[in-house]
Amino acid sequence: QVQLVESGGGSVQAGGSLKLSCTASGFTFDDYAIAWFRQAPGKEREEVSCISWNGETTHYEDSVKGRFTISRDNAKNALYLQMNNLKPEDTAMYYCAAPAYRGGGGFYQLRRGTVAHWGQGTQVTVSS
């Protein structure tokens, strides 16, 4: 049974930083791309960042480029999102997401928003 458990959310002032973590279990983590999505109140869920199974390829949504960094530790079955210079518009529930396909196919699934497994989410609130 696939499980994705996020942690690290919280409340910060604009300009602050947070580091989100996602711990995965129930599948061969290092075979799969994995991503962070977010959903703000009244808005659709959107991909924030995605990383390939080996960490060599990453993608960032335009508004977070230069501020957020995605990384993974396959030895720990862990995914991270370092978020710097946070803005009020970053306020959202952040979700860890995994695809159905292994390897590169899974990366492109996530880029298209096709997600097989979601975590429960962690709330990030940024005040001005």
Side-chain angles (χ1 to χ4, degrees):
Q1 177 180 350
V2 174
Q3 283 196 313
L4 301 169
V5 180
E6 302 93 336
S7 61
S11 296
V12 297
Q13 290 192 326
S17 298
L18 285 172
K19 186 174 184 177
L20 306 184
S21 299
C22 170
T23 301
S25 61
F27 65 109
T28 306
F29 182 74
D30 53 7
D31 279 352
Y32 290 83
I34 197 159
W36 289 100
F37 282 69
R38 68 184 178 186
Q39 187 168 21
K43 294 189 176 180
E44 291 189 357
R45 197 172 294 191
E46 64 175 358
E47 181 214 336
V48 176
S49 184
C50 183
I51 188 167
S52 62
W53 63 275
N54 58 4
E56 291 184 358
T57 303
T58 58
H59 175 267
Y60 295 93
E61 192 268 329
D62 284 347
S63 70
V64 308
K65 286 180 181 177
R67 300 189 297 121
F68 291 10
T69 303
I70 192 170
S71 62
R72 63 189 296 162
D73 184 339
N74 286 345
K76 295 182 178 179
N77 283 9
L79 174 73
Y80 306 103
L81 187 68
Q82 177 66 48
M83 305 186 295
N84 297 329
N85 190 22
L86 282 159
K87 302 177 180 181
E89 52 264 42
D90 295 319
T91 295
M93 186 72 79
Y94 284 70
Y95 298 90
C96 184
Y101 294 165
R102 289 180 170 84
F107 185 88
Y108 291 107
Q109 274 194 312
L110 292 172
R111 289 283 296 110
R112 292 193 301 269
T114 303
V115 175
H117 306 284
W118 295 100
Q120 85 288 349
T122 186
Q123 177 69 37
V124 172
T125 302
V126 185
S127 58
S128 58

